[in-house]
Amino acid sequence: MRLGVIGLGRMGANIVRRSIRHDEHECVVFNRSPEKVQELAAEGAIAASNLAELVNKLTNPCVIWLMLPAGEPTEQAIEQLTELLKPGDIIIDGGNSHYIDDIRRAKELAIKGIHYVDVGTSGGVWGLERGYCLMIGGETEVVTYLDPLFKTLAPGRGNISRTPGRDKINSTAEEGYLHCGANGSGHFTKMVHNGIEYGLMAAYAEGMNILHHANIGKQSQNANAETSPLRDPEHYQYDFDLPAIAEVWRRGSVVASWLLDLTAIALLEQPNLEGFSGRISDSGEGRWTIAAAIEQGTPAPVLSAALYQRFSSRGEDEFAGKILSAMRLKFGGHIEQH
């Protein structure tokens, strides 16, 4: 299959590399910065200097994979492509678009006979070697046509043991990709996936932080009327080796996971994580997950707390803290402690 790829960031470039490693796939590539295009052309991709050239170099039907930031960049690319493509062509959005945008786009493109497929793509910078977990939304016939591409990009069964009874079920899920349903379902699934990711990451971080502070009893305490004292310093005399704890949890523990594997790597490289500020971004999927939970009336307290913690990490609760401090001063004369 000849595939057009627009957006050659960390994941887009590696999707091209993983595709062209297989003789049955070719990639025509375009990016706003031409350096990325030339870099991949040197590795076997076909360069395009603009969208029109990219479309002209594709075979019938044109299949184009967008790997762009959600929102305006993706919208603009689809709008421009709409003027260049013909009925039967296929646009794949492999970024992190909001599933509601997918539903709208699919309807708009269907009027022109252009097919739209949303693909939630998980794997990060490791996807080149490990493969990408793909959550796909779109028309059954179109997704079936694209199956060879998805099979190439997905990790396959690898050495993961089979879930008992899976041998009786005909599904590509074991291969690492799945047609989840109609348009929007792929990104809806990926949205919830990322919401869960926030919660898992927060749980590891909070647990490690408790271990990190388990030696507080050895430290001098500020004795003042405004701060509750540490009642039993002798209970907190532990100097834990966090890289070693992360490592031992990887071996047979019920909390073992790939996220823990990555945490162990990071702590071994920098036990005190001095290269990090602790400011955590959120790219939208966590917010959309909570919004969906609210509209459904589905409780999601853990995922909500994890999202709000990210806001706090960026100082978004600073003014709230000042309000609390001001109230304490006004009702009780409590002076801030520094």
Side-chain angles (χ1 to χ4, degrees), residues 250-312:
R250 294 181 61 221
R251 313 289 173 171
S253 162
V254 296
V255 299
S257 73
W258 187 42
L259 282 173
L260 182 61
D261 295 345
L262 299 178
T263 302
I265 293 170
L267 287 170
L268 187 61
E269 292 173 346
Q270 294 186 31
N272 294 315
L273 302 178
E274 57 273 10
F276 299 89
S277 69
R279 181 184 175 88
I280 315 160
S281 299
D282 72 289
S283 55
E285 298 90 340
R287 302 184 190 205
W288 301 335
T289 301
I290 303 310
I294 291 170
E295 291 190 352
Q296 295 171 351
T298 304
V302 172
L303 307 191
S304 299
L307 174 64
Y308 287 128
Q309 195 278 331
R310 293 193 176 203
F311 297 163
S312 296

Side-chain angles (χ1 to χ4, degrees), residues 4-5 176 203 235 242 244 247 276 283 295 334:
V5 179
H235 293 172
L242 296 190
E247 187 63 35
F276 299 89
S283 55
E295 291 190 352
H334 302 286

Side-chain angles (χ1 to χ4, degrees), residues 208-219 233-240 242:
M208 286 292 180
N209 199 32
I210 294 169
L211 291 169
H212 178 69
H213 288 284
N215 63 356
I216 192 172
K218 295 182 177 182
Q219 302 167 18
E234 66 272 19
H235 293 172
Y236 302 97
Q237 299 284 324
Y238 303 114
D239 293 305
F240 286 118
L242 296 190

Side-chain angles (χ1 to χ4, degrees), residues 68-71 93-98 119-121 187 190 194 283 285 288:
L68 298 167
D93 179 9
N96 282 324
S97 289
H98 196 186
V119 180
T121 308
H187 279 148
K190 178 59 161 48
N194 282 25
S283 55
E285 298 90 340
W288 301 335

